[in-house]
Amino acid sequence: MFEHPVLAAFYRRHGPAPFAPNPFPQRPPFRVLAESVVAQQLSTRAAARLAERLFRLVPPTPKAFLEAPLDLLRQAGLSRAKALALKDLAAKAEEGLLDGLDRLEDEAVVERLTRVRGVGLWTAEMFLMFGLGRPDVWPVRDLGLRRAAARLFGVAPEALPAFGEAFRPYRSHLAWYLWRSLSSP
């Protein structure tokens, strides 16, 4: 599948990465973004537990989050900042901010999403990858990606942008494989 020997080796070890246009059509954009907000600065496992607890209390829809009291979001374990970010995301989603994202270029998606309180570049990049299935996103600010690239390839954080160039147009795949390597022996 891949001509690059590193990606080919990762593919053989971990199987195909989940990136193709709209690979998660059953997951609405609001839910994917809400999960990304919850996941900010948390381990994957902690983020999954927190999102599960949150979505048991409040269904992952803009309307439900708009109607939910801030205290309820806090009871789920969210920080005040994340609770306010999710409220703002819900309000902007109701206004149409998430409509048509799949038809926009990556930069336009990032520009639109970063209008939401608490949504920065990392969250927008995670949405591009896991919400829209974009195959060539390279989230160089991600701590896990930085750790894996340093461990496997000796790449310093400041060298990650250049390192990723060799893997175009499959940098999302490389990021996914690097994350998998963190939990592999």
Side-chain angles (χ1 to χ4, degrees), residues 16 23 42 54-55 74 86 89 92 95 102 130 147 159 164 178:
L42 295 176
L54 174 64
F55 296 153
R74 299 276 289 130
L86 289 172
L89 173 63
K92 287 187 169 75
E95 294 167 2
D102 58 327
F130 297 107
R147 258 190 279 146
L178 288 171

Side-chain angles (χ1 to χ4, degrees), residues 70 129 173:
L70 195 60
M129 294 172 76
H173 297 255

Side-chain angles (χ1 to χ4, degrees), residues 17-184:
F19 303 107
N22 299 313
F24 309 110
Q26 71 280 8
R27 295 178 39 140
F30 178 82
R31 182 182 180 122
V32 175
L33 281 163
E35 289 171 350
S36 291
V37 168
V38 168
Q40 292 170 352
Q41 300 180 343
L42 295 176
S43 71
T44 303
R45 186 173 292 144
R49 283 193 308 263
L50 181 54
E52 183 181 322
R53 189 168 51 242
L54 174 64
F55 296 153
R56 274 198 307 264
L57 292 173
V58 183
T61 66
K63 186 176 186 322
F65 271 79
L66 281 174
E67 293 173 354
L70 195 60
D71 287 344
L72 183 62
L73 302 181
R74 299 276 289 130
Q75 287 172 15
L78 292 177
S79 67
R80 179 172 171 74
K82 286 184 182 184
L84 290 171
L86 289 172
K87 288 286 219 178
D88 190 49
L89 173 63
K92 287 187 169 75
E94 285 288 295
E95 294 167 2
L97 184 84
L98 305 181
D99 297 344
L101 291 175
D102 58 327
R103 295 186 300 274
L104 299 176
E105 295 294 322
D106 292 355
E107 296 78 21
V109 172
V110 169
E111 187 278 324
R112 190 184 287 187
L113 293 180
T114 54
R115 294 179 197 164
V116 176
R117 173 188 184 136
V119 173
L121 180 59
W122 180 87
T123 304
E125 288 172 337
M126 294 303 108
F127 180 78
L128 285 168
M129 294 172 76
F130 297 107
L132 297 178
R134 301 286 170 90
D136 194 38
V137 179
W138 189 227
V140 298
R141 289 162 193 82
D142 183 82
L143 185 58
L145 180 104
R146 288 176 171 212
R147 258 190 279 146
R151 189 181 82 184
L152 293 175
F153 301 106
V155 178
E158 62 275 4
L160 276 173
F163 176 76
E165 288 302 312
F167 297 91
R168 276 187 187 273
Y170 299 108
R171 294 178 300 170
S172 294
H173 297 255
L174 177 61
W176 189 81
Y177 289 131
L178 288 171
W179 290 323
R180 299 287 84 60
S181 77
L182 292 171
S183 58
S184 298

